[in-house]
Amino acid sequence: MSILVTGGAGFIGSHTCVELLNAGYDIIILDNFANSKPESLKRIKELTGKDFKFYEADIRDAEALQKIFSENKIEAVIHFAGLKSVPQSISQPLEYYDNNIAGTVCLCDVMSKNGCKKMVFSSSATVYGSKNPSPLKEDMPTGGTTNPYGTTKYFIENILKDLCVPDKDWGVTILRYFNPIGAHKSGRIGEDPNGIPGNLMPYITQVAIGKLPHLNVCGNDYPTPDGTGVRDYIHVVDLALGHVKALERLLRTNGCEVYNLGTGKGYSVLDVVHAFEKAAGMKVNYKIAPRREGDIACCYSDPSKAKEILGWEAKYGIEEMCEDSWRWQSQNPNGLN
Ligand code: NAD
Ligand code: UD1
């Protein structure tokens, strides 16, 4: 029996595939390389010394999915495939609703027809919207998302919850990620954004390597200790290990469960800049800029449910997140080419 990993060539998917292979699972990766490169598959093999099947396919292509299910015995799906840029989702909403929502519906339908009814889904802290106070807990109300990307996560969560109501064989684990950064310790896989990064850590590493002149710190007048936005950064390897724990439980349970994957600690933009400067041994140029539209002051998790039920908690601190992000960027200045 195998685990199908959609979007397994991407940032979080590739790290999770390494941990799944290390834990002894047989995996099959499906990806259409919309935001990743075949090189990441080679590196997963290099890091683990293990082989796996790969299908270049789109989750919206029911025939291609059926072929994968016909050719393999698939026990569960870990579903990372999706588009994730907030600004792009605002300019191309239909592409996001089609890729993320229609793609997930298509995947669930083919899974159901083939009697495979276990899914781990990549959701985001963005579903908590802007009204809930941190620390954010799984039972707080969701919705009030401020962009189509966030809305796709909110809608998909609800679709997956509904799926588990009439059919008790279905089991879905929704994982709400906080802010994944860092990279595998080897420096061989990591985040490889297209164009100018939208997220903080890849922006910092590209300033550090000289590709970008300075970081814009987006707002220093938030009601936070130093005025800059506070987030719950989590090492991508911790996140990957969270998927292995979630899968272990999902294989023996049914119904829909939701878990935060975060550290429970909040760091400001300037905290991250200073931690990075220490880890990389260099100064990072930055300028204070206006707030970014749609940003909230503070967002961090209460991670106690995942600890209690999945037996998982984040191990790496901000120092290692910065060291590993920097190792990845400095060893791969042009990403996975
Ligand atoms: P990523 O872009 O690196 O990985 C996503 C992968 O899915 C890519 O390899 C892409 O080529 C593939 N893909 C996209 N659409 C596809 C389709 N229609 N068919 C097949 N493959 C497709 O992103 P990531 O950071 O690894 O994120 C993985 C998942 O986690 C996404 O669903 C994302 O929305 C979610 N998430 C990410 C973050 C984050 O900060 N990185 C935070 C919260 C949630
Ligand atoms: C963003 C998305 C979120 C998505 C997540 C992962 C928004 C509003 N939210 O989260 O939906 O799940 O990425 O892809 O876009 N910052 C700067 N300068 C920069 C970039 C960021 O100061 O150049 C600040 C931001 O204002 C924020 C913090 O750094 O306070 C983290 O930003 P980012 O990495 O983009 O993540 P989020 O905004 O938390």
Side-chain angles (χ1 to χ4, degrees), residues 1-5 26-30 51-57 63-77 110-111 113-117:
M1 295 289 263
S2 302
I3 307 300
L4 175 65
V5 184
D26 278 327
I27 64 165
I28 296 166
I29 299 183
L30 172 166
D51 206 359
F52 50 82
K53 273 198 193 174
F54 170 71
Y55 290 86
E56 185 168 347
E63 253 179 57
L65 294 179
Q66 183 51 52
K67 184 170 183 286
I68 301 174
F69 279 88
S70 302
E71 290 177 1
N72 302 282
K73 280 198 158 43
I74 297 170
E75 201 175 6
V77 176
V110 175
M111 286 174 66
K113 285 179 178 145
N114 287 274
C116 172
K117 299 184 179 180

Side-chain angles (χ1 to χ4, degrees), residues 84 86 124 126 147 149 179-180 198-201 203 215-218 229-231 233 269 292-296:
K84 65 163 183 177
V86 170
S124 164
T126 193
N147 56 72
Y149 164 74
N179 289 57
N199 297 116
L200 180 63
M201 184 53 84
Y203 207 105
L215 168 74
N216 287 309
V217 173
C218 302
V230 167
R231 297 290 183 276
Y233 297 93
V269 176
R292 192 173 65 178
E293 210 183 320
D295 272 2
I296 54 175

